[in-house]
Amino acid sequence: MAGRVIRKLKPSVLVATAVLGIYVLLKTSSPSSFGTLRQSMPKQRAVQRCVHDPIPCPRLRYAGRDADSLIDLANFTYALDAPQCTGEESLLVLVHSAAAHFAERDVIRTSWGAGTSWLKSLRLRVVFLLARTPTDPALEDRMAQENHRYGDTVQGDFVDSYRNLTYKHVMALRWASTRCNGVTRVLKMDDDIFVHIFQLVAILDRTASLPPKTLVCYIQKQMPISRSEGSKWRVTESEYPGSFFEDYCSGWAYLADMAAVRAMVAEARFRPYFWVDDVHVTGTLARMGGVTLA
């Protein structure tokens, strides 16, 4: 899947994309809102227990976490929302996007994600996942206008920051499981990914017979944990013990059935928050929820 269906666009490269006769120029290094945001300080979290243990840990009960919580964010709400699925869609595409990436979102809307008659026959639905930029009201206004115009963005009521990506990831899966529960499969991806839609159709056909609760992805195995001071990727021993992460899906794209999505969402309420979202969601939550990586 990783090599043929989806291609990651390299930063600082001007990409010419021709899809269905539409030519779009995208500079994927458009300024990110992350640099202007107040980065949320990581909270003191409980140590990850049962890491690498093949036997699922007992669920931990946290005060204040209920069906309305997003992990440990009580009374969670969507700042911006999109219409729920109609029930006719067969594939829901969840695109994680930085607040300021309007150009990236427009490329998807006007290329492989376009609502042409041929693509509509695939019963494809694309939704972009965003977060808040409280220090930039103008950017907030632009996102609100974008939502009003296209109706395809969902914004969580938390700050758009690197350490909050796990909130965005779980929010995306939660939105899918509650607003599009009739969809059979979900493709999660980043906004700098180009989807080869014809190959994707073939992949969907070939994976139709996979058992429930399966993630189809590029599996990261025995990835070392960075402990280097000052590293963007530094993870402390208290956050995640050991020398290696457990197996997880490369986060730029994976395909899941709805049973897997529901299982990961259900586990999120009962596990300590961990900010490396790919590891936490497709590693820990998937394993605890009985989800298989394929």
Side-chain angles (χ1 to χ4, degrees):
M1 177 179 178
R4 295 183 179 179
V5 181
I6 301 172
R7 181 163 61 89
K8 189 171 180 64
L9 305 180
K10 296 180 180 180
S12 304
V13 175
L14 196 63
V15 180
T17 304
V19 178
L20 303 176
I22 302 172
Y23 291 84
V24 182
L25 290 180
L26 165 64
K27 188 174 183 180
T28 60
S29 59
S30 58
S32 169
S33 62
F34 291 173
T36 61
L37 291 177
R38 173 181 57 81
Q39 295 290 328
S40 299
M41 293 300 292
K43 300 177 182 178
Q44 292 296 319
R45 312 283 186 179
V47 174
Q48 291 283 346
R49 303 295 182 186
C50 303
V51 171
H52 310 298
D53 190 339
I55 302 174
C57 295
R59 286 179 165 182
L60 303 177
R61 301 290 172 175
Y62 292 90
R65 292 196 190 186
D66 54 29
D68 294 325
S69 302
L70 179 67
I71 311 178
D72 55 2
L73 298 180
N75 302 315
F76 172 77
T77 59
Y78 298 108
L80 296 173
D81 205 351
Q84 65 182 21
C85 289
T86 63
E88 298 179 355
E89 299 88 350
S90 63
L91 176 67
L92 173 64
V93 183
L94 301 173
V95 183
H96 286 208
S97 186
H101 286 191
F102 297 97
E104 284 85 342
R105 295 192 286 275
D106 280 342
V107 164
I108 292 173
R109 292 186 183 107
T110 55
S111 59
W112 63 265
T116 64
S117 58
W118 187 85
L119 288 175
K120 284 180 179 177
S121 69
L122 298 178
R123 295 180 293 153
L124 181 75
R125 171 78 183 276
V126 179
V127 175
F128 299 94
L129 289 309
L130 310 173
R132 302 295 299 271
T133 58
T135 61
D136 193 339
L139 188 54
E140 285 278 305
D141 289 343
R142 285 190 66 191
M143 285 189 285
Q145 293 169 12
E146 179 186 36
N147 177 270
H148 179 74
R149 179 178 181 182
Y150 297 107
D152 60 1
T153 57
V154 174
Q155 184 187 47
D157 194 15
F158 51 86
V159 175
D160 198 359
S161 69
Y162 190 72
R163 291 262 171 169
N164 282 347
L165 286 177
T166 294
Y167 288 128
K168 183 181 286 186
H169 200 151
V170 175
M171 177 188 75
L173 300 181
R174 170 178 157 168
W175 191 91
S177 65
T178 57
R179 305 298 177 86
C180 294
N181 56 14
V183 171
T184 56
R185 281 182 288 181
V186 174
L187 175 65
K188 179 270 176 188
M189 56 176 281
D190 293 335
D191 65 6
D192 57 353
I193 298 299
F194 178 79
V195 175
H196 190 315
I197 197 69
F198 302 101
Q199 288 287 347
L200 178 59
V201 171
I203 287 289
L204 291 173
D205 290 340
R206 289 202 300 270
T207 59
S209 60
L210 286 176
K213 298 173 72 171
T214 299
L215 298 185
V216 180
C217 64
Y218 181 81
I219 303 174
Q220 299 283 5
K221 294 178 177 289
Q222 291 287 295
M223 294 297 290
I225 301 173
S226 174
R227 306 292 190 197
S228 302
E229 292 286 346
S231 170
K232 174 183 178 180
W233 301 98
R234 181 175 184 265
V235 173
T236 66
E237 186 74 22
S238 64
E239 290 176 315
Y240 199 101
S243 300
F244 300 92
F245 289 123
E246 62 184 303
D247 293 353
Y248 64 95
C249 289
S250 182
W252 46 268
Y254 65 80
L255 184 66
D257 64 279
M258 189 55 76
V261 169
R262 293 194 187 101
M264 291 185 288
V265 171
E267 289 299 320
R269 284 174 52 199
F270 304 103
R271 307 299 170 189
Y273 183 95
F274 181 50
W275 59 273
V276 183
D277 66 308
D278 300 338
V279 174
H280 185 64
V281 177
T282 67
T284 303
L285 300 186
R287 176 168 55 87
M288 297 300 183
V291 176
T292 301
L293 308 188

